Amino acid sequence: MLTIALSKGRILEQTLPLLKKAGLEIADEELNSRKLILDTNLDDVKVIVIRATDVPVFVQHGAADMGITGKDVLLEHGANGLFELLDLGIAKCKLMVAAIDKNKLEQNTLKIATKYVNSAKRYFETKGQQIEIIKLYGAMELAPVVGLAHCIVDLVDTGNTLKANGLVPLEHIEDISSRLIVNAALFKTKNAQIKTWVKGIEQNL
Ligand code: ATP
Ligand code: PRP
């Protein structure tokens, strides 16, 4: 049996066609049900659909053999017990610093609102900038507008969300896309089975 952890939401929508091309299908009744462990067209493959941030946790602990989640999530979680095998090229965006204008970044201690605490710390540490992190779980764009922070570190795709809130993208931290990850120990014990799936997905990218 192979268990694959998928991120619900926008990544799932873009993952299903990739899996289908590799021969794995999940019926709409399964996807639309309240079930968390879903059957697939293959007897020996099950899928769990969870929040993107939980995918590396399930895979690291071997509760799922493989998983698909965003690079932003992996940068926060760390690579302990995981191998990143493929860049799937889906859910592409950029992790960026944004503010009302460039001058707002000129602070002795820069106040940053973000849910990407580790990535923000690493980035500003490299620049030698002293920072204070204000951890948020969403709606980061609001923080500079209401004076909660000088800037944000968040994902940017079209830039529409920044624009709608009077912010501008200023500094690029990382290119983000979804990645296929595998449990490091299970990659050894189930190597043939996992490699077959990786090849199947890779050749259809
Ligand atoms: P959660 O529900 O766990 O808090 P979320 O609300 O951020 O997560 P989504 O918005 O579906 O969930 O984002 C999941 C992943 O999709 C992100 O981790 C990132 O990799 C990618 N992503 C997020 N926003 C964008 C975007 N605007 N364009 C492209 N990819 C994105
Ligand atoms: C993501 C991200 C930004 C927005 C960027 O939010 O957190 O707010 O997308 O995309 P854009 O540059 O194309 O506007 P999402 O839509 O996932 O909403 P959420 O953070 O509330 O989940």
Side-chain angles (χ1 to χ4, degrees), residues 72-85:
D72 52 324
V73 170
L74 296 172
L75 288 167
E76 284 303 298
H77 180 85
N80 213 353
L82 302 172
F83 294 139
E84 188 182 306
L85 297 183

Side-chain angles (χ1 to χ4, degrees), residues 48-60:
I48 57 178
V49 180
I50 53 184
R51 294 178 80 150
T53 42
D54 289 335
V55 166
V57 180
F58 277 70
V59 175
Q60 179 183 357

Side-chain angles (χ1 to χ4, degrees), residues 31-133:
L31 288 167
N32 298 330
S33 73
R34 297 286 299 162
K35 280 167 66 180
L36 296 171
I37 303 183
L38 308 185
D39 292 325
T40 69
N41 59 323
L42 304 176
D43 287 341
D44 61 346
V45 182
K46 296 239 182 287
V47 156
I48 57 178
V49 180
I50 53 184
R51 294 178 80 150
T53 42
D54 289 335
V55 166
V57 180
F58 277 70
V59 175
Q60 179 183 357
H61 294 280
D65 301 277
M66 299 198 287
I68 292 175
T69 191
K71 182 68 181 177
D72 52 324
V73 170
L74 296 172
L75 288 167
E76 284 303 298
H77 180 85
N80 213 353
L82 302 172
F83 294 139
E84 188 182 306
L85 297 183
L86 276 183
D87 181 346
L88 300 172
I90 56 170
K92 281 187 176 180
C93 52
K94 293 179 168 61
L95 187 65
M96 298 198 71
V97 182
I100 291 170
D101 68 59
K102 203 166 176 275
N103 299 336
K104 301 284 183 203
L105 298 187
E106 287 160 22
Q107 311 286 342
N108 286 332
T109 300
L110 187 64
K111 270 201 242 174
I112 304 165
T114 189
K115 70 173 170 187
Y116 299 105
V117 173
N118 295 334
S119 293
K121 276 188 185 158
R122 268 195 301 269
Y123 177 71
F124 285 102
E125 207 173 299
T126 312
K127 290 182 28 141
Q129 168 72 54
Q130 199 168 302
I131 59 166
E132 181 190 333
I133 298 271

Side-chain angles (χ1 to χ4, degrees), residues 10 141 154-161:
R10 79 174 77 221
E141 291 86 357
D154 195 13
L155 301 176
V156 182
D157 178 20
T158 60
N160 289 342
T161 311

